[in-house]
Amino acid sequence: MPPKNQCYLSKASLDYLKDDLTLPIDKEEFERPLKELLRHAHQIAWILSQRRVTAQCDNIMSCTEYEDIEPDCLMLIRQFLEIESIPPIRQIVDAIPTMADLLNNEYKMDAASSLKHILERGTKEHRKIVLDAGVIPSFSRMLDSSNGCIIKVTVLLALVQIVTGATHDEIEAVVKAGAIHRLIDLLHSNHDVCAETSLRVLAIAAKITSKW
């Protein structure tokens, strides 16, 4: 497993970034600290943002040229957002709607982790973009028993950020998505961190609604 400050893309993804998108990037660059790759953050996010663009095409099959490298690009964005200094949220904001879409497929862990980091460390405007992308129903579904504890905790921490300082409409969206019932069920989880974080979300939501 590579050190935390390094990342690796597949050879196919690296070749595509170099040859098709003509990014000035090479294998050796991926063996250096991750911070040195931040200059490519906007271009990497642009690749993910094309999923929403291609969804509007008449012929979807002819518009998915980036599909094969999306997982690597999403992983790289997650790693960018995990950098301890100021994360490059401004550079990757266009990819947020695609990250919300990816909560519903096999890449949901990277997508959820990325969105959690944006909610934790972004601005009010970034928060609005995340919520406008429709993440609440997807987050609620991800609390089901079919998902593992790590995914659930990631989603629960994102929900902590959502309900903290939430508006009436945002709390209502959480309720309508069925999240409250799932949070109550998780209070009986065998994993203490799931139970404790579920209680935290419920307590914050209750405190906010008590002021209305």
Side-chain angles (χ1 to χ4, degrees), residues 35-172:
K35 290 182 181 180
E36 295 186 22
L37 290 173
L38 286 176
R39 63 193 180 98
H40 301 301
H42 179 74
Q43 292 94 331
I44 298 295
W46 179 86
I47 293 171
L48 282 185
S49 71
Q50 295 310 292
R51 171 180 281 257
R52 278 295 180 101
V53 174
T54 59
Q56 300 172 8
C57 296
D58 292 333
N59 185 355
I60 299 298
M61 292 303 294
S62 66
C63 301
T64 55
E65 57 181 309
Y66 306 113
E67 184 176 5
D68 290 342
I69 66 171
E70 280 181 354
D72 278 352
C73 290
L74 177 61
M75 175 210 62
L76 191 53
I77 285 178
R78 174 184 59 76
Q79 290 179 308
F80 285 153
L81 292 169
E82 290 174 350
I83 293 176
E84 293 179 1
S85 57
I86 299 176
I89 297 176
R90 182 175 58 83
Q91 292 97 310
I92 58 89
V93 69
D94 289 344
I96 288 176
T98 296
M99 292 183 216
D101 290 344
L102 294 173
L103 291 172
N104 301 303
N105 69 16
E106 63 266 37
Y107 311 120
K108 57 190 174 185
M109 184 65 224
D110 279 334
S113 181
S114 298
L115 292 166
K116 176 185 76 73
H117 285 300
I118 293 170
L119 287 167
E120 289 174 341
R121 307 174 70 182
T123 65
K124 290 183 179 180
E125 180 60 27
H126 296 145
R127 168 194 168 90
K128 183 179 186 302
I129 294 171
V130 172
L131 294 181
D132 286 350
V135 300
I136 291 177
S138 296
F139 279 157
S140 177
R141 287 191 295 270
M142 291 172 73
L143 295 177
D144 285 340
S145 58
S146 58
N147 287 308
C149 181
I150 294 177
I151 289 181
K152 288 177 184 174
V153 171
T154 299
V155 170
L156 287 168
L157 291 173
L159 286 172
V160 166
Q161 299 302 316
I162 289 174
V163 299
T164 300
T167 64
H168 182 280
D169 288 344
E170 289 166 355
I171 293 293
E172 188 68 19

